[in-house]
Amino acid sequence: FNWETIKEYTDIKFDFFEGIAKITINRPEVYNAFRPETNFEMLDAMDIARERADVRVVVFTGAGDKAFCSGGDQNVKGVGGYISENGVPRLNVLDLHKSIRSLPKPVIAMVNGYAIGGGHVLHVVCDITIASDNAKFGQTGPKVGSFDAGFGSSYLARHVGQKKAREIWFLCEQYTAKEAEDMGMVNKVVSLDKLEETTVDWCRTMMKRSPMALRMIKRGLNAELDGQRGLMEFAGDATLMYYLMEEAQEGKNAFLEKRDPDFDKYPKFP
Ligand code: 2NE
């Protein structure tokens, strides 16, 4: 595939091909563990993906054939969080999770190796996971002094059920791609050499579907778990659709023309 660079970064690669924006964590020497700067870069890329109308789907992956992402970089873990270059401790990967949930476009995890710790949470938060058969999945938090009781637990439980989610977190074992698929947290497993091709195929199929329909389905599925914030995003898109209707234009036009609005002329549906 002829990927073109969208923007140059230090810790990630950000490429575009036929409507697909691909974010690759590019720190293979630490199995694509993230530091605060990695998350700042991914957040910036997500903003670009949101704004660019020609981006229809976002794919996350890791550089090399060993790891998708091994979670927070233990070399920079300090007191209060992962220490950024200015000395401030952070857990800014949570901002990335929010941005993935919020993006009104499908987000695919293309898991090419270990998805461990915060790397496991990253695939959990994505809308779809396609994995290579060498991929390994698991949480390590309670082994290494961390946990994610947010999407990394609650959304995981929606995928695999409460008992399995507790097993994954309480035992910190690793699971094969096939086991992860059987549990319901992976959509498809393919050989590593077919991973990108399969992911692009899935993206192409999604890009043939109605973007607004996919957007509303994502909002609805999120809202079920995300409480008031999920409802707010669902409602925001309902407002967007209302603004596309003549009825909403009539309200604004009447105000600007200093007259009463005439809403009677619009259809009333049962
Ligand atoms: C991923 C795993 C299982 C791979 O094991 P193995 O034996 O195949 O490789 P190895 O030798 O452990 O790792 C290869 C190189 O990558 C570094 C290692 O230190 C090693 O470097 P060298 O010794 O060759 O120099 N590496 C791997 N993961 C790293 C990491 N996360 N930070 C820094 N360096 C890392 C095995 O490597 C593993 O278990 N890794 C640690 C996974 C982990 O515990 N991640 C953090 C969990 S907490 C978290 O991510 C988190 C959260 O729980 C909540 C919110 C936000 C984040």
Side-chain angles (χ1 to χ4, degrees), residues 58 60 68-69 105 116 128 170 183-184 189 201 205 208 215 219 237 264-265:
V58 172
F60 276 90
F68 169 70
C69 174
K105 309 176 185 187
I116 297 285
I128 298 270
F170 292 0
M183 270 187 247
V189 180
D201 271 358
T205 303
K208 285 188 206 153
R215 178 178 183 136
R219 292 285 192 241
D237 280 357
D264 289 343
K265 57 188 174 190

Side-chain angles (χ1 to χ4, degrees), residues 39-40 42-44 46-47 50 60 91-107 118 121-127 148 150-152 154-155 218-219 222-223 225-230 232-234:
N39 291 319
F40 284 133
M42 290 195 278
L43 280 161
D44 185 67
M46 286 292 282
D47 280 346
R50 182 169 198 138
F60 276 90
L91 193 55
N92 62 343
V93 72
L94 302 186
D95 297 327
L96 180 66
H97 298 167
K98 285 186 276 184
S99 137
I100 292 170
R101 293 287 282 183
S102 259
L103 190 78
K105 309 176 185 187
V107 181
V121 176
L122 180 59
H123 104 84
V124 165
V125 174
C126 291
D127 299 310
D148 182 339
F151 288 125
S154 55
Y155 193 28
K218 177 167 175 170
R219 292 285 192 241
N222 284 356
L225 181 62
D226 291 1
Q228 189 64 47
R229 183 191 162 113
M232 177 269 285
E233 296 207 295
F234 196 89

Side-chain angles (χ1 to χ4, degrees), residues 29-31 70-74 82 91 114 118 140 144 146-147 174:
E29 67 286 358
V30 285
Y31 277 28
S70 63
D73 186 333
Q74 299 306 291
Y82 294 88
L91 193 55
Y114 284 108
T140 60
V144 298
S146 183
F147 62 88
Q174 287 178 13

Side-chain angles (χ1 to χ4, degrees), residues 7-259:
K7 185 171 170 181
E8 301 276 359
Y9 294 97
T10 308
D11 287 12
I12 66 168
K13 290 192 277 183
F14 188 35
D15 301 310
F16 181 80
F17 171 71
E18 278 186 15
I20 308 167
K22 183 171 69 167
I23 298 174
T24 306
I25 304 177
N26 191 21
R27 308 187 74 224
E29 67 286 358
V30 285
Y31 277 28
N32 300 318
F34 52 77
R35 54 183 190 140
E37 289 70 24
T38 322
N39 291 319
F40 284 133
E41 291 182 2
M42 290 195 278
L43 280 161
D44 185 67
M46 286 292 282
D47 280 346
I48 293 170
R50 182 169 198 138
E51 289 298 324
R52 268 181 62 160
D54 59 342
V55 170
R56 301 273 304 278
V57 184
V58 172
V59 171
F60 276 90
T61 195
D65 59 0
K66 295 282 187 287
F68 169 70
C69 174
S70 63
D73 186 333
Q74 299 306 291
N75 299 303
V76 298
K77 194 170 174 206
V79 177
Y82 294 88
I83 312 294
S84 53
E85 276 169 355
N86 63 359
V88 176
R90 299 174 190 280
L91 193 55
N92 62 343
V93 72
L94 302 186
D95 297 327
L96 180 66
H97 298 167
K98 285 186 276 184
S99 137
I100 292 170
R101 293 287 282 183
S102 259
L103 190 78
K105 309 176 185 187
V107 181
I108 321 290
M110 184 168 85
V111 178
N112 55 311
Y114 284 108
I116 297 285
H120 190 257
V121 176
L122 180 59
H123 104 84
V124 165
V125 174
C126 291
D127 299 310
I128 298 270
T129 297
I130 303 177
S132 54
D133 52 14
N134 64 319
K136 290 269 180 59
F137 296 81
Q139 296 299 157
T140 60
K143 210 161 61 173
V144 298
S146 183
F147 62 88
D148 182 339
F151 288 125
S153 298
S154 55
Y155 193 28
L156 176 66
R158 297 291 170 111
H159 298 164
V160 302
Q162 284 282 342
K163 295 279 186 186
K164 269 286 173 195
R166 283 161 212 247
E167 173 192 314
I168 290 168
W169 274 101
F170 292 0
L171 273 69
C172 298
E173 302 284 13
Q174 287 178 13
Y175 302 88
T176 64
K178 173 80 175 66
E179 287 169 325
E181 186 184 30
D182 290 345
M183 270 187 247
M185 61 178 178
V186 165
N187 296 84
K188 180 136 187 102
V189 180
V190 294
S191 58
L192 184 59
D193 62 327
K194 290 272 181 296
L195 182 61
E196 189 157 285
E197 186 185 321
T198 306
T199 306
V200 168
D201 271 358
W202 279 51
C203 291
R204 281 178 171 146
T205 303
M206 283 183 266
M207 287 189 283
K208 285 188 206 153
R209 310 300 177 227
S210 154
M212 187 60 93
L214 300 194
R215 178 178 183 136
M216 296 310 287
I217 290 289
K218 177 167 175 170
R219 292 285 192 241
L221 290 169
N222 284 356
E224 190 224 351
L225 181 62
D226 291 1
Q228 189 64 47
R229 183 191 162 113
L231 285 176
M232 177 269 285
E233 296 207 295
F234 196 89
D237 280 357
T239 312
L240 161 63
M241 289 206 231
Y242 180 55
Y243 286 170
L244 293 167
M245 294 171 67
E246 231 186 279
E247 186 176 327
Q249 300 300 321
E250 167 64 9
K252 175 206 65 180
N253 290 341
F255 173 80
L256 293 177
E257 292 160 17
K258 301 192 187 305
R259 60 174 172 82

